[in-house]
Amino acid sequence: MEYADRIEITFKSGETISYDKGEWDDYAYDGKAVIVKQKGAWIGIYNFDHVFSVELKNTKGVEYAPL
């Protein structure tokens, strides 16, 4: 998440929820749900059956080279 400053979750219904820098610091997928975390605490749990996409965004446009 070093280069991403926003995470956007789009649902099959068309709704989108986003977390900006400072609102999240990690995320996980456990096979059934997308989990958004901050300081180790789960702050959002989304059933993957309802999720269309999860995008990590770099809104500052800073380019980086993948490892």
Side-chain angles (χ1 to χ4, degrees):
M1 285 32 73
E2 182 177 335
Y3 298 105
D5 58 8
R6 177 182 292 159
I7 185 168
E8 288 185 3
I9 301 169
T10 303
F11 300 95
K12 292 177 181 176
S13 67
E15 286 184 74
T16 299
I17 187 165
S18 64
Y19 294 88
D20 289 320
K21 186 175 182 176
E23 296 178 321
W24 69 287
D25 57 19
D26 198 6
Y27 75 100
Y29 172 67
D30 73 352
K32 296 182 183 182
V34 175
I35 304 159
V36 181
K37 302 177 185 180
Q38 184 176 29
K39 297 179 183 174
W42 294 9
I43 59 171
I45 304 170
Y46 305 97
N47 184 329
F48 202 71
D49 290 340
H50 301 283
V51 172
F52 177 73
S53 68
V54 177
E55 297 177 85
L56 297 175
K57 296 197 172 193
N58 176 348
T59 60
K60 297 188 186 330
V62 177
E63 294 193 25
Y64 62 93
L67 299 176

